Amino acid sequence: MFRGYHTIRALYDSGPQKFVDVNGWIQSIRQLKRIAFIDLRDGTSTKSLKIAVPLCDQSLIESVKNLKTGQCVSISQAQWVPTPQREQPFELKVGDALKDIQILGNVTSQYPLQKKSHSLSFLRTLPHLKHRSNYLGSLLRFRSHVENTFIQFFAQNEFTKVTPPLITSSDCEGGGELFKVDGSNDYFGRSAYLTVSAQLHLEALSLALNRCYTLSPSFRAEKSDTNRHLCEFWMLEAEWCFVRDVNELTHFTQNLLKSVIKSCYDNRNELIPQIIPQESDQVSTIIQRWENLLKNDNWPSITYTEAIKILREQHSNVKPFPNYEPQWGLALQSEHEKWLAGEYFQSPVFVTDYPKDCKAFYMKHNDDGQTVACFDLLVPGMGEIVGGSVREDDYIKLVTEMDRRQMNHNGDLDWYAALRQEGSAPHGGFGLGVERLVSYLYGNHNIRDAIPFHRAATGTIEL
Ligand code: 4AD
C-alpha cells in the first residue's frame, strides 16, 4: 500500500528482514573515522533507528558531510544487523552511502531542533516544527491511541457514533461564552454560534438511537488564560437512555476511563518516550499513576455537600484557600478541585449533586429541591475533566426551570423542551475534555500541548 518501505515501528515489531528500505528525518549524525551513525525518526514510534554508514573511501566521507540533522532522507537496501548486546536490538547498515542515501528534503543552517531534549517553553516558540520533537510527536500519537480506545469502548457497549452540528442557534450551557458566526443573521436569518457542547443535539439523537456519542470540537469564548482552558477544544460526549441515577453515569465513566488507562498501560513502551522534558512528569511517575488508577477498584465519590464540609474544615483549621473561601451554594474553584483530588483523596474523585444554581438548566432536580443529579470528575493536578448529569425529562419541570432562569425568550430552545412531549425517556450523559484527559495521563501540565495547534484567549493565532 505504501510503495514498499518499512516504518520504524513496523521494523521494531517485525524481527529480522533481509534488505530494508526506510524513510525518515535525521535526528542526529555522528561521524567517526571509518563509520558514521545516523539516528533516524519517522514519526511512527517513540524509538529512533540507528543506521551505520561505513566510510570506506574519501567520496563516501564527503557524501556523509552533506547529511544534517532535520533532513528528510530515503535509505535503500540497508542490511539488518542484530546487536543483541545493545539497547537497540538491531541496526541497519548501508551498503553504499552515495547510492543508497537520498536526501529528499534539505534543511537551512537555521534548523532549530537538535537531538538533545529541548525544553517545552522553547518548543512552543516553534508551532510549525515542534511536533518533530520526540516528546510532542509522541504526545500526538498518545492522543490518537486514547481516542481509538474510546471508539472501541463505545462500539463494544453498543453506542452509535454521531456527528452533531458545529454551527447552532442553541446555547447549551447558558453561560454566554459563545463565538458568534459572522454574517449569520444575513445568511440564516437569525444569530448562529459555534457550539459550546453537542449535548442538546445528542439528547435528540439518543431518543432515536438509545445510546450515542460524539468526539467533536467545542468552542468557548471564555477569557480564562490558564493551562487548562482552550477556546477551541475537543469533547467526548455520550448520551444514553434509561438512566435514572447519577451513579449509573459515574460507574460508566469510570469503566470508560479504566479501559483507556489499561490500554495505555499495556502499550506503555510504545506510547511514552524514554527522555522527557524537565517541565513534565517523568516516566516512572506516569507509569506509577496508571498503576494506581487501575489498582483502586472504585474511585471515591462524594456529594458536593460533603465536599464543602471537607473543604471548610481544611479552610478553617489547617490552611485557608488563598483566593476563595469554600461556601455551600458557590461553585468549586480550581484551587478547591485540585486540593480535593490531589491532596485529600490523592485520586480521581467524583463529586455529585451540586446546588442547582451552580449548574446548567437541563439537569434533573433532586427531591431535596436544592440540588441536581449531576457529577464532575476531578483529578489531581488538573481539576475537572468530566462533567455530566441526568437530564430533566419532565416537560413542565424543564420549562419552569428555563423560565426561572429567564431563558429561551426567542423560542430557540422550544424544540429541545418539546422532546419531553414526544416519547421522552429518562436519560443522561457526560462530556469529557479530551485535552485535559490526555495531559493528565501523559503527565504534561499544559493542555496547550495536547492539541496540535492551540487556540486560547490572549494566545495569538500564529498558524
Ligand atoms: O462541564 P462542561 O461545561 O459540560 C458540558 O458542556 C456538558 N454539556 C457536557 C455533557 O454533559 N454532554 O464541559 C465538559 C468538559 C469539562 O469537564 C472539561 O474537561 C472540558 O469539557 N472543558 C474544557 N476543556 C478545555 N478548555 C475549556 N475551555 C473547557 N471547558 C470545558
Side-chain angles (χ1 to χ4, degrees), residues 172-173 196-197 199 220 222 228-231 233 235 237-239 362 376 384-389 391 429-433 435-436 447:
C172 175
E173 292 303 296
V196 295
S197 159
Q199 178 196 320
R220 295 197 183 177
E222 56 192 337
R228 43 180 234 139
H229 285 93
L230 295 164
C231 61
F233 63 98
M235 229 203 280
E237 293 187 84
E239 198 69 31
Y362 48 72
D376 282 354
E384 181 200 334
I385 60 168
V386 190
S389 74
R391 317 306 186 189
F430 64 82
L432 174 156
E435 289 80 13
R436 288 193 187 173
I447 67 168

Side-chain angles (χ1 to χ4, degrees), residues 61-76:
I61 293 175
E62 290 306 315
S63 77
V64 163
K65 281 196 180 135
N66 292 327
L67 298 178
K68 298 188 187 85
T69 297
Q71 279 172 340
C72 179
V73 293
S74 178
I75 294 176
S76 320

Side-chain angles (χ1 to χ4, degrees), residues 281 284-294 440-441 443:
D281 292 340
S284 55
T285 312
I286 298 169
I287 303 299
Q288 181 78 57
R289 172 175 311 135
W290 295 354
E291 280 171 352
N292 289 343
L293 289 171
L294 292 171
Y440 169 59
L441 292 181

Side-chain angles (χ1 to χ4, degrees), residues 257-437:
L257 289 175
K258 284 204 170 183
S259 88
V260 170
I261 297 160
K262 171 85 171 56
S263 176
C264 292
Y265 187 75
D266 291 346
N267 292 283
R268 59 192 177 282
N269 292 337
E270 194 37 69
L271 289 174
I272 300 290
Q274 285 310 310
I275 299 174
I276 289 201
Q278 275 189 344
E279 299 109 301
S280 291
D281 292 340
Q282 298 303 299
V283 181
S284 55
T285 312
I286 298 169
I287 303 299
Q288 181 78 57
R289 172 175 311 135
W290 295 354
E291 280 171 352
N292 289 343
L293 289 171
L294 292 171
K295 220 165 37 197
N296 296 349
D297 272 352
N298 274 321
W299 299 336
S301 179
I302 53 170
T303 62
Y304 166 91
T305 302
E306 287 164 341
I308 290 291
K309 193 163 165 262
I310 295 169
L311 287 163
R312 286 188 68 78
E313 270 168 23
Q314 165 75 9
H315 189 75
S316 52
N317 298 337
V318 192
K319 192 165 142 236
F321 293 97
N323 302 317
Y324 298 94
E325 181 180 344
Q327 244 173 31
W328 202 98
L330 299 184
L332 295 187
Q333 299 296 325
S334 159
E335 60 182 344
H336 305 144
E337 295 179 348
K338 287 182 183 165
W339 180 81
L340 273 174
E343 297 192 36
Y344 189 81
F345 286 103
Q346 299 182 10
S347 151
V349 52
F350 290 104
V351 180
T352 64
D353 304 290
Y354 283 66
K356 60 180 184 229
D357 288 326
C358 294
K359 291 290 178 186
F361 70 98
Y362 48 72
M363 297 187 179
K364 193 169 185 66
H365 287 202
N366 287 325
D367 293 340
D368 62 14
Q370 302 293 314
T371 60
V372 283
C374 69
F375 77 93
D376 282 354
L377 176 63
L378 316 180
V379 300
M382 185 64 73
E384 181 200 334
I385 60 168
V386 190
S389 74
V390 182
R391 317 306 186 189
E392 184 53 77
D393 60 324
D394 180 292
Y395 177 77
I396 298 293
K397 285 185 185 162
L398 180 68
V399 170
T400 307
E401 182 62 22
M402 284 159 80
D403 288 346
R404 189 179 76 86
R405 293 178 188 235
Q406 302 185 334
M407 292 174 60
N408 197 28
H409 292 309
N410 50 10
D412 277 343
L413 289 172
D414 283 353
W415 67 271
Y416 176 73
L419 289 172
R420 276 72 186 159
Q421 295 176 305
E422 312 291 354
S424 185
H427 63 282
F430 64 82
L432 174 156
V434 174
E435 289 80 13
R436 288 193 187 173
L437 174 70

Side-chain angles (χ1 to χ4, degrees), residues 1-214:
M1 204 161 41
F2 292 103
R3 279 222 286 159
Y5 70 88
H6 289 83
T7 64
I8 292 178
R9 183 171 184 159
L11 283 175
Y12 275 101
D13 288 347
S14 74
Q17 306 277 326
K18 226 171 170 191
F19 288 103
V20 179
D21 294 347
V22 282
N23 298 316
W25 291 265
I26 297 179
Q27 196 198 7
S28 69
I29 174 150
R30 191 157 57 98
Q31 189 171 342
L32 308 176
K33 228 172 175 184
R34 295 184 180 285
I35 194 159
F37 291 102
I38 298 173
D39 262 330
L40 195 75
R41 288 201 176 281
D42 76 347
T44 63
S45 173
T46 51
K47 299 188 197 103
S48 61
L49 186 63
K50 197 173 275 330
I51 301 189
V53 187
L55 304 175
C56 316
D57 61 41
Q58 196 55 33
S59 63
L60 291 175
I61 293 175
E62 290 306 315
S63 77
V64 163
K65 281 196 180 135
N66 292 327
L67 298 178
K68 298 188 187 85
T69 297
Q71 279 172 340
C72 179
V73 293
S74 178
I75 294 176
S76 320
Q77 294 291 295
Q79 198 189 332
W80 178 291
V81 182
T83 52
Q85 69 287 12
R86 301 221 195 103
E87 201 184 319
Q88 179 183 310
F90 68 95
E91 65 187 26
L92 299 185
K93 193 164 141 201
V94 168
D96 176 350
L98 271 173
K99 191 159 70 52
D100 296 335
I101 303 182
Q102 193 193 348
I103 299 173
L104 300 179
N106 217 333
V107 284
T108 65
S109 55
Q110 279 93 49
Y111 184 73
L113 299 179
Q114 298 304 321
K115 183 180 182 185
K116 65 182 174 114
S117 170
H118 292 288
S119 71
L120 285 172
S121 46
F122 172 72
L123 291 173
R124 288 178 196 134
T125 64
L126 304 167
H128 62 311
L129 295 175
K130 65 181 182 181
H131 306 109
R132 299 187 196 186
S133 68
N134 193 26
Y135 180 77
L136 291 181
S138 299
L139 180 38
L140 295 188
R141 280 191 299 276
F142 181 77
R143 176 179 175 147
S144 169
H145 184 88
V146 167
E147 291 185 6
N148 286 339
T149 319
F150 288 149
I151 292 169
Q152 281 165 21
F153 184 88
F154 280 108
Q156 280 158 8
N157 284 283
E158 299 166 88
F159 277 70
T160 302
K161 188 169 190 291
V162 292
T163 51
L166 301 184
I167 298 177
T168 176
S169 57
S170 312
D171 176 8
C172 175
E173 292 303 296
E177 293 150 349
L178 302 157
F179 283 109
K180 188 169 180 194
V181 175
D182 198 17
S184 55
N185 291 73
D186 285 344
Y187 192 86
F188 298 110
R190 64 198 300 189
S191 300
Y193 307 90
L194 297 181
T195 185
V196 295
S197 159
Q199 178 196 320
L200 306 188
H201 295 91
L202 282 187
E203 286 187 53
L205 296 173
S206 72
L207 291 168
L209 298 166
N210 194 333
R211 300 173 195 177
C212 60
Y213 80 101
T214 184

